[in-house]
Amino acid sequence: MSSLSTEKKTTGIDCKNYINGQYKDAVSSKIFENINPATEEVLGTVAEGSKEDVDLAVKAARRALNGRWKTMPLAERSKIIRRIGDIILERQEELANLEALDTGKPVSLANKIDIPRAAYNFHFFADYMTTLGTEAYQQDDQALHYALRKPVGVIGMINPWNLPLLLLTWKLAPCLAAGNTAVMKPAEWTPMTATVLAEICTEAGVPDGVVNLVHGFGPGSAGEAISQHEDVDAITFTGETSTGTAIMKSAADTLKKLSYELGGKNPNIIFADSNLDEVVETTIKSSFINQGEVCLCGSRIYVERPAYDEFLEKFVAKTKELKVGDPFADDTNVGAMVSKAHYEKVLSYMAIAKEDGGTILTGGKKAEGFAKGFFLEPTIVVGLDRQARCVREEIFGPIVTVIPFDLEDEVVAQVNDTHYGLSASIWTNDLRRTHRVADAIEAGIIWVNTWFLRDLRTPFGGMKQSGIGREGGLHSFEFYSELKNVTIKL
Ligand code: NAD
């Protein structure tokens, strides 16, 4: 039996709401337990926020919008936002440990990606905000028109559990850069790093009330209360497509501005002329990093027939080398699934793959050797047709399907046969084909001969039911600000 050293590294924290610069219990005094997915032990308690707590947070955010935050010089606001990033780096070890405890991800991954990127989100937008201008037009000798950029107001942020701090800061940094105030709700399964972030914001100099945090659940709880609140001006949501539908309905009565980053069923398209060793190395990451719990993971792998056997042989061999286990062990590649419910959902798809006629080449079950914790084996399935549920539905776990193809048109048609359109990876050395296929695929993010390579200035987001709007650079400011046009008659 493997012994998990998880709880020895650090302990969890109790998570309270954070309203107007102070930690607070829920108005109802209700709490719920936060479970470590690697040990099934209790990490701490979480304040169960509801409508009343959201109302207090929104009131604080509204007051702060018209306080010192409004008149603060741009350079000072930029400096505070930069300082948040600095403190995240100063507290990196603590934050990485909390993220690994909460999500079950390897702490090495949290240290390499989640926490540095969370800091960089603040550093990037602290710089970017100082470069922005707006439009001006002279209309002959009649008039001068110019646009002013204004904050939208109070922004509600509803977040998922897979990259908790990284994705929350991807929203909070541009929100603050554009002069808004925030009411954040982390996912109920991963409340810890958001709780620390609230305090970090105050330490960096963010005025009280600008950043507020309410914990809780979605329907009938804090999430729904944020989407219904009449004094929340906009909602930025990252999560499942079906939750996006529910939020849109709740937000309809008060006509909120919405930004959505939703689910995906992303394809990797591997042509036979690509360098298969390079392809396999990256495909291991795009399939199993963060236990496959990344919205950008490539879960449908299409391989041109001449390369199919060689790819599979290499891909299966490398997958078998991955070590599943203790998030705090140095040699762990794949940690625990985030919760019992999600673990059971992903496990059920391993059975569905077989029922639908698929063959499991490796994995397909609970990882052995763990008395406790939600560990699954990285899984490769072949032999499924395009109608199979594992090929069509977002599973969000360490399970991928591999399918051969013969013709470019045929693979493009299969790839586009989904209501998702988040990202795609194309592997080829043929320049003309690169342009043709990149143009034909219905997805917001296309990678060629790479995966997950990001520049925060570029537009990020999904087509079809994978999202609404784009984030990154100027695109983030388009969501987090309102343009006001002024016309002066000359
Ligand atoms: P989820 O939709 O279950 O939950 C996300 C958040 O919404 C949580 O905070 C939850 O409490 C809240 N919520 C749930 N129901 C609600 C309701 N009715 N009203 C208001 N709030 C509600 O998503 P998840 O399981 O936490 O995250 C996984 C999903 O997120 C996957 O589908 C994944 O693809 C997607 N995701 C997308 C991106 C992207 O950039 N496109 C990034 C990460 C994750």
Side-chain angles (χ1 to χ4, degrees), residues 158-162 167 185-188 217-219 223-224 227 237-240 243 246-247 261-264 295 394 396 422 460 466:
I158 303 178
N159 294 279
W161 45 259
N162 61 330
L167 290 174
K185 193 199 90 62
E188 49 273 37
F217 299 91
E224 191 175 291
S227 46
F237 167 69
T238 301
E240 281 190 19
T243 311
I247 292 175
E261 302 289 357
L262 307 176
C295 55
E394 184 185 45
F396 218 57
L422 188 56
F460 178 92
S466 284

Side-chain angles (χ1 to χ4, degrees), residues 35-269:
I35 304 295
N36 179 339
T39 63
E40 299 181 49
E41 288 171 359
V42 176
L43 284 167
T45 59
V46 188
E48 187 178 334
S50 61
K51 211 171 160 195
E52 289 72 28
D53 304 276
V54 167
D55 194 49
L56 289 175
V58 173
K59 284 196 172 104
R62 178 63 55 190
R63 274 195 308 275
L65 199 59
N66 293 313
R68 193 162 70 85
W69 194 234
K70 185 174 178 173
T71 51
M72 187 180 280
L74 189 74
E76 192 181 338
R77 185 146 41 92
S78 166
K79 202 170 155 192
I80 290 173
I81 292 170
R82 170 162 291 281
R83 181 80 190 116
I84 301 173
D86 294 345
I87 302 174
I88 289 175
L89 290 181
E90 286 161 18
R91 294 176 70 169
Q92 162 147 353
E93 191 184 350
E94 171 198 356
L95 287 164
N97 285 346
L98 291 175
E99 205 72 309
L101 284 173
D102 232 358
T103 59
K105 73 176 69 197
V107 72
S108 55
L109 184 68
N111 267 312
K112 192 173 163 206
I113 295 184
D114 295 71
I115 310 306
R117 171 59 199 282
Y120 184 56
N121 286 337
F122 288 102
H123 290 159
F124 171 82
F125 282 106
D127 288 341
Y128 199 90
M129 65 187 280
T130 63
T131 68
L132 283 181
T134 54
E135 299 157 80
Y137 302 95
Q138 179 161 358
Q139 190 179 13
D140 303 322
D141 57 359
Q142 268 193 72
L144 178 67
H145 309 267
Y146 63 89
L148 294 172
R149 192 180 292 283
K150 295 287 177 191
V152 176
V154 176
I155 312 287
M157 296 177 183
I158 303 178
N159 294 279
W161 45 259
N162 61 330
L163 304 166
L165 192 68
L166 189 161
L167 290 174
L168 175 57
T169 54
W170 177 233
K171 299 177 187 307
L172 185 63
C175 163
L176 297 180
N180 301 282
T181 58
V183 177
M184 320 185 285
K185 193 199 90 62
E188 49 273 37
W189 291 338
T190 55
M192 294 199 292
T193 48
T195 306
V196 177
L197 177 68
E199 171 188 88
I200 288 176
C201 290
T202 300
E203 192 187 333
V206 173
D208 291 348
V210 171
V211 174
N212 304 278
L213 169 78
V214 181
H215 293 287
F217 299 91
S221 179
E224 191 175 291
I226 291 174
S227 46
Q228 286 179 339
H229 201 290
E230 62 180 4
D231 227 10
V232 170
D233 300 288
I235 294 207
T236 165
F237 167 69
T238 301
E240 281 190 19
T241 297
S242 57
T243 311
T245 307
I247 292 175
M248 193 178 262
K249 285 181 183 158
S250 302
D253 285 342
T254 45
L255 219 64
K256 296 187 196 328
K257 191 174 185 184
L258 297 174
S259 167
Y260 275 3
E261 302 289 357
L262 307 176
K265 189 71 191 172
N266 311 307
N268 294 5
I269 305 151

